[in-house]
Amino acid sequence: MTVMTTRQGLAPRLNALNKIVELGPGRLDEKLLTEAGNLLLRAGDRLKLSSEHTVVALAGGTGSGKSSLFNAVSGLELSPTGVRRPTTARTHACVWGLEGAGPLLDWLQIQWRHRFARASALDKGESQLHGLILLDLPDHDSIRALTDNEADRLIGLADLVVWVLDPQKYADASTHRRYVTELAGHDAVTVFALNQADKLTTEELAELVIDLNDLLRREGVEHPTVVPTSAVTGRGIDSLKSVVAGSVSRRRAAIQKLEADLDRFEQRLTVSMPVGEAPSSVDEARRLGLTDALCDAVGVPAVGEALENVYATRSKRWTGWPYPRWISKLRPDPLKSLRLDDLGDEIRGITTGSVSAQSAEVNNAVQALADGLSAGMTPVWRSAVNHAARSRSAQLPQALTEELAEVAPELDRVPGWWRLLKIWQYVLVAAFALGLVWLAAGLFLGGSLPSGLELFADTAALPWVGLMMASVLGLGALSAVASKNFVELGASRERERLEREMRRRVAAVSESMVVEPVERELARHHAFYTALKGLSG
């Protein structure tokens, strides 16, 4: 068996069709998907079989003279012709050059008793038909055809179809509606034999040929090949043989038929699923937008702000000037007035799961991402992207909550410099208290102080003691102001650290549960339409 040299040009298109069949389930209409699968199987089977043989099918309705034409072309009485009710029940095949044709005839399901081979003695002058497998199909409009689809099956499998039309029914609706309108793009592998030309005058035949050509062009056959024939007189038989011989000798009919079938399927697929504009992946801006929206849904900014406030408030207990703090205890608790205690409890609640993502806001964020990505897609792909984005939406809020529970801030952690500053503040408090004792002793006890404490009774030192006490107060206040600035800076850094870590974890969850499923669907969409472009060759 000789391998077809033109298959390499067809291979990329068949690979593209195979990709469409692979990606089509759930996206492509079931009828189109089935058609694509059948076309792929048919192409694979035909290309494996003999490339030296061309399958030509004579198709037509009851009474068109199809079997008589088959006998006239073959030169033998092979197919029975009816008298009262002319009809063909089973397909007959005549083979010019039987060697290598067996597997192809088996694939066509031609029964052994209906296979005929031209003997070499009868082939003189017909060498141009060597490799022809001529089929006489059952009548497509017979009563038997209502329950037997053999004619339709073989019309689809044949490399070239010769439609046999009779002058009275050449415009028959059943033929044109069911078959001819499906032949757009099949001009190279379709021939129309206007049979029984002997029943017409020359003028009538010419008029019918013109009318048939016009009719075929209106139905999408741009360059119809019409051959007037007569099985009775032999008129046009040689012309028909010549047309068939040209196709047989080129060994191109099988390839042309598959290419035409691919063209027709591509047109139907493009109408059903026009190319839509869509990205092939989720861009960085949309990833950040999703992360921002999910952070808002979880409450990351609120938690960060609460942490900053609690951090700053707790620091006052360690770094603030003690005297104002002691005095403030006589006034209402600012923590309660600011409800910062509640915020602290809310932050602690992260570890117990009391702070959770808001499902409605999470769903809105996911939906916004899907809508933005699928805006230019066809409805079926838009629905697929939405489904992919929401495929794990039910688990997403809980996953976010559990992930953020691992980064709960350490509210009881005390920085070392807070402890050192507290010691410093209490040293100043002790110095101020010592100054008060000194002043009291010098002013009120005077000479009554015991021996060794005369220094405290020296009134000349009392102004310096007062200056020292004022300095201590000033130094304490200055330390409190400075520590407040450092605390605010530290609180801001702690907030940034917490929010950064929470954002990182939110982004990781959104990547695995939303972005990755969506990107798989976008990749599938991109691959599908890349294959559709490849189908055009």
Side-chain angles (χ1 to χ4, degrees):
M1 180 179 68
T2 303
V3 178
M4 294 182 183
T5 57
T6 53
R7 286 184 190 175
Q8 291 183 350
L10 189 62
R13 299 187 68 186
L14 292 176
N15 289 335
L17 180 62
N18 183 62
K19 196 67 176 178
I20 288 173
V21 172
E22 178 185 331
L23 299 173
R27 309 294 180 270
L28 190 60
D29 178 75
E30 284 297 326
K31 186 177 181 180
L32 281 176
L33 186 60
T34 300
E35 181 180 341
N38 291 338
L39 175 54
L40 191 63
L41 289 174
R42 185 167 71 250
D45 290 342
R46 180 63 185 95
L47 293 175
K48 291 176 185 176
L49 298 170
S50 174
S51 62
E52 295 298 322
H53 289 85
T54 301
V55 180
V56 178
L58 297 181
T62 304
S64 62
K66 175 170 48 62
S67 296
S68 299
L69 191 61
F70 174 82
N71 292 335
V73 172
S74 65
L76 299 171
E77 291 294 326
L78 302 178
S79 186
T81 57
V83 179
R84 289 187 177 180
R85 187 176 183 180
T87 182
T88 301
R90 286 299 174 189
T91 302
H92 292 70
C94 182
V95 184
W96 280 256
L98 191 58
E99 184 180 355
L104 183 53
L105 291 168
D106 292 339
W107 178 63
L108 294 171
Q109 300 178 24
I110 307 300
Q111 297 178 4
W112 278 94
R113 65 177 180 273
H114 295 149
R115 301 180 185 181
F116 305 95
R118 285 297 304 264
S120 58
L122 296 173
D123 286 338
K124 294 180 180 179
E126 294 190 356
S127 60
Q128 74 274 17
L129 293 178
H130 184 79
L132 169 63
I133 298 178
L134 185 65
L135 305 181
D136 181 18
L137 304 187
D139 305 322
H140 68 78
D141 57 353
S142 67
I143 295 177
R144 185 184 185 90
L146 298 177
T147 57
D148 189 346
N149 64 352
E150 183 174 4
D152 289 348
R153 180 180 65 82
L154 289 172
I155 288 171
L157 296 180
D159 302 328
L160 184 145
V161 177
V162 177
W163 284 98
V164 183
L165 307 173
D166 70 82
Q168 294 181 342
K169 298 194 299 182
Y170 72 93
D172 179 54
S174 65
T175 298
H176 288 262
R177 184 174 59 251
R178 291 179 57 189
Y179 301 104
V180 177
T181 54
E182 295 293 321
L183 294 176
H186 287 66
D187 302 20
V189 289
T190 306
V191 177
F192 298 89
L194 186 57
N195 200 25
Q196 301 177 5
D198 55 285
K199 296 181 179 180
L200 303 172
T201 65
T202 302
E203 293 75 13
E204 290 174 335
L205 181 60
E207 184 178 345
L208 286 183
V209 169
I210 294 173
D211 188 56
L212 178 57
N213 274 279
D214 291 341
L215 176 62
L216 293 173
R217 289 192 181 95
R218 289 197 299 271
E219 293 178 338
V221 184
E222 294 182 4
H223 306 289
T225 301
V226 177
V227 181
T229 60
S230 172
V232 175
T233 65
R235 178 177 181 177
I237 300 300
D238 288 339
S239 297
L240 181 60
K241 283 185 178 182
S242 179
V243 172
V244 172
S247 179
V248 171
S249 62
R250 287 191 297 271
R251 302 289 190 263
R252 279 277 304 165
I255 296 297
Q256 289 174 321
K257 174 64 181 302
L258 292 175
E259 289 176 340
D261 288 343
L262 288 172
D263 290 340
R264 183 178 64 182
F265 178 77
E266 178 202 355
Q267 292 171 1
R268 295 182 60 190
L269 185 57
T270 302
V271 171
S272 175
M273 301 187 72
V275 178
E277 294 296 329
S280 58
S281 62
V282 181
D283 58 89
E284 190 62 27
R286 285 193 171 89
R287 291 173 191 263
L288 292 176
L290 176 63
T291 299
D292 290 340
L294 292 179
C295 284
D296 290 339
V298 173
V300 169
V303 172
E305 183 179 0
L307 169 67
E308 186 175 13
N309 291 334
V310 171
Y311 185 96
T313 302
R314 287 185 63 253
S315 69
K316 293 180 181 179
R317 301 173 185 173
W318 290 85
T319 64
W321 185 223
Y323 292 118
R325 187 170 67 250
W326 293 337
I327 295 172
S328 68
K329 289 184 178 181
L330 302 176
R331 298 194 298 269
D333 189 351
L335 288 178
K336 293 182 179 179
S337 64
L338 294 175
R339 300 189 64 182
L340 294 179
D341 280 344
D342 294 340
L343 292 173
D345 292 339
E346 183 177 343
I347 296 176
R348 290 186 181 90
I350 295 178
T351 59
T352 62
S354 60
V355 176
S356 61
Q358 301 299 313
S359 297
E361 295 184 21
V362 169
N363 289 335
N364 290 339
V366 172
Q367 189 64 49
L369 174 73
D371 290 344
L373 290 169
S374 63
M377 294 182 176
T378 55
V380 64
W381 284 104
R382 188 160 55 245
S383 176
V385 171
N386 273 271
H387 178 75
R390 302 173 66 87
S391 60
R392 302 184 65 185
S393 58
Q395 298 84 28
L396 185 57
Q398 183 62 29
L400 289 170
T401 300
E402 292 175 355
E403 186 68 23
L404 296 184
E406 299 179 6
V407 292
E410 300 176 6
L411 295 181
D412 297 329
R413 183 176 65 85
V414 178
W417 71 273
W418 285 14
R419 298 180 187 275
L420 293 176
L421 188 58
K422 188 172 186 177
I423 293 173
W424 166 250
Q425 294 284 22
Y426 277 100
V427 168
L428 295 179
V429 168
F432 185 79
L434 179 60
L436 284 177
V437 172
W438 194 326
L439 285 176
L443 292 174
F444 300 110
L445 298 179
S448 62
L449 291 173
S451 177
L453 298 177
E454 294 84 358
L455 178 63
F456 291 98
D458 185 2
T459 56
L462 293 183
W464 294 102
V465 172
L467 180 62
M468 181 271 292
M469 292 176 63
S471 299
V472 166
L473 289 175
L475 189 57
L478 182 62
S479 298
V481 171
S483 64
K484 180 180 178 182
N485 292 333
F486 283 113
V487 165
E488 289 178 352
L489 180 61
S492 177
R493 288 177 177 174
E494 282 293 309
R495 175 178 180 173
E496 290 177 0
R497 181 196 63 79
L498 176 64
E499 290 186 356
R500 185 168 56 251
E501 178 62 15
M502 293 178 76
R503 279 185 60 85
R504 186 187 69 79
R505 290 177 177 259
V506 168
V509 172
S510 68
E511 180 73 21
S512 63
M513 300 187 72
V514 180
V515 174
E516 288 181 2
V518 168
E519 286 207 315
R520 284 194 293 270
E521 194 61 39
L522 291 178
R524 184 174 181 175
H525 176 272
H526 180 72
F528 182 89
Y529 280 101
T530 299
L532 182 54
K533 291 179 182 178
L535 188 61
S536 62

